[in-house]
């Protein structure tokens, strides 16, 4: 008796619930959800894995969603549909990738420059969101593992390299056109790509709708802040808090206009020792002041 593939079963389930979902085969764009295989997902290191049960890596790709309540609610609904019918296993080989775009346009050079410097200077603060299994791995290499930035003495020196790179910041942050970085900007410069997006790749795989939405809310907030902030306030942020050992990703959330995320993440952060960073004469300024454009 013929039994549809797990991808087709999932497609039929979502389609039957009224979710716009593409056929399994062929390319159909991003106006509907897409279900495909992912050979990089493996069942090893999973104590709950039963070798008598067949297992297959599945990648679930959303349609292009609006940022905000409407898009986030759709994520919650689709996650609930999947969890209600399928036994989904997650492990260290699964990941959550968020693509942030600006419609059919790209982003201004200053926005890209700001974001590259922000995630480099505050790399360790942002990493507090992620488990150890997502630290310094091939599929999501952080700025500190970047060959073009490794020779720099700390994140501030790296930020200077990025500043000096000008329009070539993508070539620096994704040195050698490396897509397998925590922050993949290559889609912004490859004209053949159908998605002009910034891809955030470091988050662990998740079927927790609150966790998915919180991370999506945070990274879209980062991009919006980098797009809107004035050069003066951005510089104050880097100089005032880049060396502050008490500055955390929670403070960063407040500055980018996402204070509601503080309560969600407050008890979920993983505290790790940070490298010592020195910068003479940092510019004064409060987080409240820096939260304005």
């Amino acid at each position: 008796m013929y039994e549809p593939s797990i991808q087709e079963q999932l497609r039929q389930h979502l389609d039957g619930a009224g979710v716009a979902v593409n056929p399994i085969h062929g390319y159909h764009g991003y106006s509907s959800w897409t279900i495909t295989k992912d050979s990089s997902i493996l069942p090893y290191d999973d104590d709950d894995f039963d070798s008598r049960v067949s297992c297959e890596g599945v990648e679930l790709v959303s349609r292009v969603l609006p940022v905000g309540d409407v898009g986030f609610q759709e994520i919650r609904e689709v996650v609930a549909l999947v969890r209600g019918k399928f036994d989904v296993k997650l492990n260290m080989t699964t990941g959550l990738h968020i693509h942030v775009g600006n419609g059919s346009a790209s982003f201004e050079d200053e926005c890209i420059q700001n974001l590259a410097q922000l995630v480099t200077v505050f790399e360790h603060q942002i990493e507090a969101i992620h488990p150890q299994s997502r630290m310094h791995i091939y599929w999501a290499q952080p700025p500190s593992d970047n060959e073009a930035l490794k020779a720099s003495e700390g994140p501030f020196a790296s930020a200077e390299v990025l500043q000096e790179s000008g329009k070539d910041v993508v070539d620096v942050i994704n040195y050698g056109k490396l897509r397998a970085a925590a922050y993949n900007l290559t889609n912004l410069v490859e004209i053949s790509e159908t998605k002009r997006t910034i891809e955030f790749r470091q988050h662990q795989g998740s079927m927790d709708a609150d966790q998915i939405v919180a991370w999506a809310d945070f990274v879209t907030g980062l991009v919006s802040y980098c797009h809107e902030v004035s050069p003066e306030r951005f510089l104050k942020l880097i100089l005032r808090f880049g060396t502050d050992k008490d500055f955390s990703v929670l403070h960063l959330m407040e500055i980018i206009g996402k204070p509601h995320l503080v309560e969600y993440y407050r008890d979920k952060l993983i505290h790790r020792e940070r490298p010592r960073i020195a910068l003479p004469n940092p510019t004064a300024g409060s987080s409240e002041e820096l939260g304005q454009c």
Side-chain angles (χ1 to χ4, degrees), residues 36-64:
T36 184
K37 293 183 179 181
D38 189 337
S39 59
S40 69
I41 298 175
L42 303 171
Y44 67 77
D45 285 345
D46 190 338
D47 294 335
D48 296 329
F49 177 67
D50 187 342
S51 59
R52 296 169 298 179
V53 177
S54 62
C55 180
E56 188 164 0
V58 174
E59 181 177 1
L60 178 61
V61 184
S62 79
R63 68 180 183 89
V64 176

Coordinates of all heavy atoms in Angstrom, one line a residue, residues 36-64:
T36 N 10.4 20.7 2.7 CA 11.4 20.1 1.9 C 12.2 19.2 2.8 O 12.1 19.2 4.0 CB 12.3 21.1 1.1 OG1 13.2 20.4 0.3 CG2 13.0 22.0 2.1
K37 N 13.1 18.4 2.2 CA 14.1 17.6 2.9 C 15.3 18.4 3.4 O 15.6 19.4 2.8 CB 14.5 16.4 2.1 CG 13.5 15.4 1.7 CD 14.1 14.2 1.0 CE 13.1 13.2 0.6 NZ 13.6 12.0 -0.1
D38 N 15.9 17.9 4.4 CA 17.2 18.6 4.9 C 18.1 17.5 5.3 O 18.0 16.9 6.4 CB 16.9 19.5 6.0 CG 18.1 20.4 6.3 OD1 19.2 19.9 6.0 OD2 18.0 21.5 6.9
S39 N 19.1 17.2 4.5 CA 20.0 16.0 4.7 C 21.0 16.4 5.8 O 21.7 15.5 6.3 CB 20.7 15.7 3.4 OG 21.5 16.8 3.0
S40 N 21.1 17.6 6.2 CA 22.0 18.0 7.3 C 21.5 17.7 8.7 O 22.2 17.7 9.7 CB 22.4 19.5 7.2 OG 21.2 20.3 7.6
I41 N 20.2 17.3 8.8 CA 19.5 17.0 10.1 C 19.7 15.5 10.3 O 19.3 14.7 9.5 CB 18.0 17.3 10.1 CG1 17.9 18.8 9.9 CG2 17.4 16.8 11.4 CD1 16.4 19.2 9.8
L42 N 20.3 15.1 11.4 CA 20.7 13.8 11.7 C 20.1 13.4 13.1 O 20.0 14.2 14.0 CB 22.2 13.6 11.7 CG 22.9 14.0 10.4 CD1 24.4 14.0 10.6 CD2 22.5 13.1 9.3
P43 N 19.8 12.1 13.3 CA 19.2 11.6 14.5 C 20.2 11.3 15.6 O 19.8 10.9 16.7 CB 18.5 10.4 14.1 CG 19.3 9.8 13.0 CD 19.8 11.0 12.2
Y44 N 21.5 11.5 15.4 CA 22.5 11.0 16.4 C 22.5 11.9 17.6 O 22.0 13.0 17.6 CB 23.9 11.0 15.8 CG 24.5 12.3 15.4 CD1 25.0 13.2 16.4 CD2 24.6 12.7 14.1 CE1 25.5 14.4 16.0 CE2 25.1 13.9 13.7 CZ 25.6 14.8 14.7 OH 26.2 16.0 14.3
D45 N 23.1 11.4 18.7 CA 23.1 12.1 20.0 C 21.8 12.4 20.6 O 21.6 13.3 21.3 CB 23.9 13.4 19.8 CG 25.4 13.2 19.7 OD1 25.8 12.1 20.0 OD2 26.1 14.1 19.3
D46 N 20.8 11.6 20.2 CA 19.4 11.8 20.7 C 19.1 10.6 21.5 O 18.8 9.5 21.0 CB 18.4 12.0 19.5 CG 17.1 12.4 20.0 OD1 16.8 12.2 21.2 OD2 16.3 13.0 19.2
D47 N 19.0 10.8 22.9 CA 18.8 9.7 23.8 C 17.4 9.1 23.6 O 17.1 7.9 23.9 CB 18.9 10.1 25.2 CG 20.4 10.5 25.5 OD1 21.3 10.0 24.9 OD2 20.6 11.3 26.5
D48 N 16.5 9.9 23.1 CA 15.1 9.5 22.9 C 14.9 8.8 21.5 O 13.8 8.3 21.2 CB 14.1 10.6 23.0 CG 14.2 11.2 24.4 OD1 14.4 10.5 25.3 OD2 13.9 12.5 24.5
F49 N 15.9 8.8 20.7 CA 15.7 8.2 19.3 C 15.6 6.7 19.4 O 16.4 6.0 19.9 CB 16.9 8.6 18.4 CG 16.8 8.1 17.0 CD1 15.8 8.5 16.2 CD2 17.7 7.1 16.6 CE1 15.7 8.0 14.9 CE2 17.6 6.6 15.3 CZ 16.6 7.0 14.5
D50 N 14.5 6.2 18.7 CA 14.3 4.8 18.6 C 14.7 4.3 17.3 O 14.2 4.7 16.2 CB 12.8 4.5 18.8 CG 12.5 3.0 18.9 OD1 13.4 2.2 18.5 OD2 11.4 2.6 19.4
S51 N 15.8 3.5 17.2 CA 16.4 3.1 15.9 C 15.4 2.3 15.1 O 15.6 2.0 13.9 CB 17.7 2.3 16.1 OG 17.4 1.2 16.9
R52 N 14.3 1.7 15.7 CA 13.3 0.9 15.0 C 12.4 1.8 14.2 O 11.6 1.3 13.4 CB 12.6 0.1 16.0 CG 13.5 -1.0 16.7 CD 12.7 -1.6 17.8 NE 12.3 -0.7 18.8 CZ 11.6 -1.0 19.9 NH1 11.2 -2.2 20.1 NH2 11.3 0.0 20.8
V53 N 12.4 3.1 14.5 CA 11.5 4.0 13.8 C 12.2 4.8 12.7 O 13.3 5.3 12.9 CB 10.9 5.0 14.9 CG1 10.0 6.1 14.2 CG2 10.2 4.3 16.0
S54 N 11.6 4.9 11.6 CA 12.2 5.7 10.5 C 12.2 7.1 10.8 O 11.3 7.7 11.5 CB 11.5 5.4 9.2 OG 10.1 5.9 9.3
C55 N 13.3 7.8 10.4 CA 13.4 9.2 10.7 C 13.9 10.0 9.5 O 14.8 9.5 8.7 CB 14.4 9.4 11.9 SG 14.7 11.1 12.4
E56 N 13.4 11.2 9.3 CA 13.8 12.0 8.1 C 13.9 13.4 8.5 O 13.0 13.9 9.1 CB 12.9 11.7 6.9 CG 13.3 12.4 5.6 CD 12.6 11.8 4.4 OE1 11.7 11.0 4.6 OE2 12.9 12.3 3.3
G57 N 14.9 14.1 8.0 CA 15.1 15.5 8.3 C 14.1 16.3 7.4 O 14.0 16.1 6.2
V58 N 13.4 17.2 8.0 CA 12.4 18.0 7.3 C 12.7 19.5 7.6 O 12.9 19.9 8.7 CB 10.9 17.7 7.8 CG1 9.9 18.7 7.1 CG2 10.6 16.2 7.5
E59 N 12.6 20.3 6.5 CA 12.8 21.7 6.6 C 11.4 22.4 6.3 O 10.9 22.1 5.2 CB 13.8 22.3 5.7 CG 14.0 23.8 5.8 CD 15.1 24.3 4.9 OE1 15.8 23.5 4.2 OE2 15.4 25.5 5.0
L60 N 10.9 23.2 7.2 CA 9.7 23.9 7.1 C 10.0 25.4 6.9 O 10.6 26.0 7.8 CB 8.8 23.7 8.3 CG 7.4 24.4 8.3 CD1 6.6 24.0 7.1 CD2 6.7 24.2 9.6
V61 N 9.7 25.9 5.7 CA 10.0 27.3 5.3 C 8.7 28.1 5.3 O 7.8 27.7 4.5 CB 10.7 27.3 4.0 CG1 11.1 28.8 3.7 CG2 11.9 26.4 4.0
S62 N 8.6 29.2 6.0 CA 7.4 30.0 6.0 C 7.3 30.8 4.6 O 8.3 30.9 3.9 CB 7.4 31.0 7.1 OG 8.2 32.1 6.9
R63 N 6.2 31.3 4.4 CA 6.0 32.3 3.3 C 6.6 33.6 3.8 O 7.0 33.7 5.0 CB 4.6 32.4 2.9 CG 3.7 33.1 4.0 CD 2.3 33.2 3.6 NE 1.4 33.9 4.6 CZ 1.3 35.2 4.6 NH1 1.9 36.0 3.7 NH2 0.5 35.8 5.5
V64 N 6.7 34.5 2.9 CA 7.2 35.9 3.4 C 6.1 36.4 4.3 O 5.0 36.6 3.8 CB 7.4 36.8 2.2 CG1 7.8 38.2 2.7 CG2 8.5 36.3 1.3

